[in-house]
Amino acid sequence: MDSFQPETGVPLTLEIAQIGSSSTTLTPTSTPTPRISKDAIRTSMKASTVDGIFAAVFNIGTGGVLLGNFLVELDASPVVFGMISSIPMLANLFQPMGAYLSERSTSRLQNSLRTHGIARLLWLILVIGIASFSWGGLNSNQLVILSLLILVCSHLLGGLGTASWLSWIAMLVPRQLRGRYFGLRNSFANLTELLTLPIAGLAVSHWYGGTIQGYGVILFLSIIFGMVSLWCQYFQVDMNPQLQNTYYASLSQTSEIQSDSAPNESSEISEAIYLPQMPTPQNQIDSSIWKNSNFLVFLLYFGFWAFAVNLSAPFFNLYLLDTLNLDVSWVTFYNSLRAGAHMLMLLVWGKLADRIGNRPILISCGILTAVIPWLWLMIGSSPLDLWLWFPLLHIFIGANWGAVDLCSNNLQIEIASVKNQSIYFAIAAAIAGASGALGATIGGFIAQFAGSFGIVEVFVVSGILRLASLIPLIVKKDLGR
């Protein structure tokens, strides 16, 4: 599936609390130190990787093709499919509020547990709703409405905590290893999706009580994995946002900004950790957000791209499940191929981004990604299409989206200020969320009320707008690396 999921990371230069201790946090009066131990960073990065693996299982059960097939079985309309794509993006509008509150907290860990923990537990209500539906307590329309309500509340809470979590993880990864580490982390998450999604699809389609009941079982297991994911965060270095801001404010007044020196190609992670971890000139903390021209250009690209992508993205799985009437196990197989290509190419894109920069990769792979909606229009339901062209198309999607996801996140980190960093991330997410939600909603109405020709129009326009959204990256040649 054509997807759009940002993720970030930058270096940590602050004093830390003890690993695994949620009760030990920093105070704004603590004396900052320019380094943390190699073992502390190594442990945090490993914990974050395991966190991503378990979170991938949670995401499989609460979104994507399984949730889409669940709604198809309930006879949900195309507008509903547009809504399930737009709701998570609209929830990003609450990220600035969440970032503002998180910057006044004293623990990134506790903030993550409060927001994401409750958000994930809310899905238990849908499990209960599915059980009630099986016993005749709810009808299909009521279950669709309940699903949308859970989606709204869960993503709203997630939106309040996402910017803080991104800033937390961002400060744990040394800048010199950003591409390689997040490429590896995302590869593990995609490998998890590659292995578990087909199994989940088979379980749903062959469940003795029916596909709806089978989805309820998979959803319950996904929630358990989601809670284990949050438990992994206890092994990451906790951070005090107030100390982070206080330290860099003091740094800007008392010392000169030092540039990071790039490690040799043969450097290990343990060596890179001890390199100077000062912010680069593009991460100056004095500039106002609205005076940061690089950040504003990035917002223009990010918002326009989100609109163009989500104009058509929600309807690819709908086309397979509804129009072509394919079994969910086949659709999950196609999505697993995408995840496999995504996983393998992330390793390549991560190393390449560290070497040549993010902007050139974004432009080249963005052009390839822009033609994806047009390629869908060339594929029908013949055996050749189902056995050859659909698998190749999903491999092509996964390979290119790995570059777009990774490099968009890295570029965002590079041009954001370190002080109040989560607010930068929150504003970018809010802009992209509102634009993406608008695109998904418009696409949903066109698809429903214009018939099959409406789908064609949506795909054609989406490809054109994707190409147009790359113009800011092409024009602004000094927009990061």
Side-chain angles (χ1 to χ4, degrees):
M1 186 178 72
D2 211 352
S3 59
F4 190 64
Q5 299 177 343
E7 191 170 18
T8 60
V10 291
L12 171 64
T13 63
L14 307 180
E15 185 177 22
I16 61 171
Q18 293 183 352
I19 299 173
S21 173
S22 60
S23 59
T24 305
T25 57
L26 302 174
T27 62
T29 58
S30 300
T31 303
T33 178
R35 299 183 185 182
I36 64 175
S37 71
K38 175 181 66 177
D39 290 339
I41 292 182
R42 188 186 297 267
T43 301
S44 297
M45 293 168 69
K46 289 181 178 178
S48 179
T49 300
V50 178
D51 174 17
I53 291 173
F54 284 108
V57 181
F58 171 78
N59 292 332
I60 287 173
T62 57
V65 62
L66 293 183
L67 179 61
N69 181 73
F70 170 67
L71 294 174
V72 167
E73 293 293 330
L74 295 175
D75 295 323
S77 68
V79 171
V80 172
F81 278 85
M83 291 178 66
I84 65 172
S85 296
S86 62
I87 286 173
M89 291 179 285
L90 284 175
N92 288 334
L93 294 174
F94 290 88
Q95 283 203 32
M97 179 189 301
Y100 176 83
L101 296 175
S102 71
E103 293 301 319
R104 281 148 183 78
S105 68
T106 57
S107 171
R108 295 289 190 195
L109 173 62
Q110 295 300 321
N111 187 74
S112 178
L113 295 179
R114 284 193 299 266
T115 54
H116 292 100
I118 298 175
R120 294 179 180 183
L121 288 174
L122 282 176
W123 286 94
L124 287 172
I125 299 176
L126 183 57
V127 174
I128 297 173
I130 293 173
S132 177
F133 174 81
S134 300
W135 298 329
L138 293 176
N139 59 41
S140 59
N141 289 332
Q142 291 171 333
L143 195 55
V144 169
I145 294 174
L146 178 62
S147 302
L148 293 176
L149 290 176
I150 296 299
L151 201 67
V152 169
C153 296
S154 176
H155 284 279
L156 190 153
L157 285 168
L160 291 176
T162 297
S164 175
W165 181 87
L166 289 176
S167 182
W168 181 19
I169 301 302
M171 299 300 293
L172 291 177
V173 181
R175 182 182 65 84
Q176 298 88 349
L177 303 174
R178 187 183 304 152
R180 278 168 284 178
Y181 171 71
F182 281 98
L184 182 64
R185 183 184 189 274
N186 292 346
S187 293
F188 278 117
N190 280 272
L191 176 61
T192 302
E193 182 179 351
L194 176 66
L195 297 176
T196 57
L197 185 56
I199 298 174
L202 287 172
V204 170
S205 62
H206 293 88
W207 189 258
Y208 69 92
T211 56
I212 293 178
Q213 194 177 104
Y215 175 71
V217 175
I218 296 299
L219 178 60
F220 179 73
L221 294 176
S222 299
I223 296 170
I224 295 176
F225 278 97
M227 300 312 296
V228 174
S229 166
L230 291 179
W231 175 75
C232 294
Q233 295 181 10
Y234 276 96
F235 297 92
Q236 296 174 193
V237 175
D238 196 5
M239 292 185 60
N240 186 334
Q242 296 184 41
L243 177 60
Q244 175 183 339
N245 297 333
T246 301
Y247 174 74
Y248 279 108
S250 175
L251 181 67
S252 66
Q253 297 172 2
T254 61
S255 63
E256 296 179 353
I257 301 297
Q258 301 178 7
S259 298
D260 291 316
S261 57
N264 295 328
E265 195 64 32
S266 60
S267 295
E268 300 291 338
I269 290 179
S270 59
E271 296 172 344
I273 288 172
Y274 284 107
L275 294 174
Q277 299 291 335
M278 297 298 183
T280 61
Q282 287 187 328
N283 290 106
Q284 297 279 353
I285 64 174
D286 318 77
S287 301
S288 167
I289 290 177
W290 307 114
K291 294 180 180 179
N292 187 333
S293 61
N294 282 343
F295 183 69
L296 295 180
V297 171
F298 177 80
L299 287 182
L300 179 62
Y301 151 74
F302 210 43
F304 201 2
W305 177 262
F307 177 86
V309 165
N310 288 283
L311 189 69
S312 59
F315 310 107
F316 294 142
N317 281 332
L318 176 62
Y319 175 74
L320 295 175
L321 292 166
D322 191 22
T323 304
L324 299 183
N325 198 28
L326 296 184
D327 186 81
V328 65
S329 60
W330 280 104
V331 181
T332 54
F333 169 70
Y334 292 150
N335 280 266
S336 295
L337 291 177
R338 174 190 55 79
H342 193 101
M343 173 194 67
L344 294 176
M345 289 304 297
L346 273 174
L347 301 175
V348 177
W349 297 129
K351 293 180 180 179
L352 192 60
D354 288 337
R355 180 177 301 176
I356 69 173
N358 300 289
R359 177 177 163 274
I361 299 176
L362 266 182
I363 294 174
S364 58
C365 290
I367 294 174
L368 295 176
T369 305
V371 305
I372 288 174
W374 301 341
L375 295 179
W376 278 87
L377 297 177
M378 301 170 62
I379 301 177
S381 57
S382 68
L384 181 63
D385 293 327
L386 297 179
W387 288 96
L388 179 62
W389 296 120
F390 271 128
L392 289 179
L393 177 59
H394 280 78
I395 292 173
F396 179 78
I397 292 172
N400 284 284
W401 265 110
V404 174
D405 286 343
L406 183 65
C407 294
S408 292
N409 299 327
N410 289 346
L411 187 61
Q412 178 183 185
I413 300 162
E414 189 172 340
I415 61 180
S417 168
V418 177
K419 182 181 179 182
N420 294 322
Q421 188 181 59
S422 65
I423 296 179
Y424 277 78
F425 295 156
I427 291 175
I431 295 294
S435 301
L438 180 62
T441 302
I442 292 175
F445 278 104
I446 294 176
Q448 177 169 346
F449 297 112
S452 59
F453 183 68
I455 290 287
V456 174
E457 285 183 329
V458 166
F459 284 9
V460 171
V461 174
S462 177
I464 295 173
L465 293 181
R466 291 184 188 196
L467 289 173
S469 68
L470 298 175
I471 293 177
L473 295 179
I474 298 173
V475 174
K476 187 71 171 176
K477 296 184 179 181
D478 60 342
L479 187 66
R481 293 182 65 248

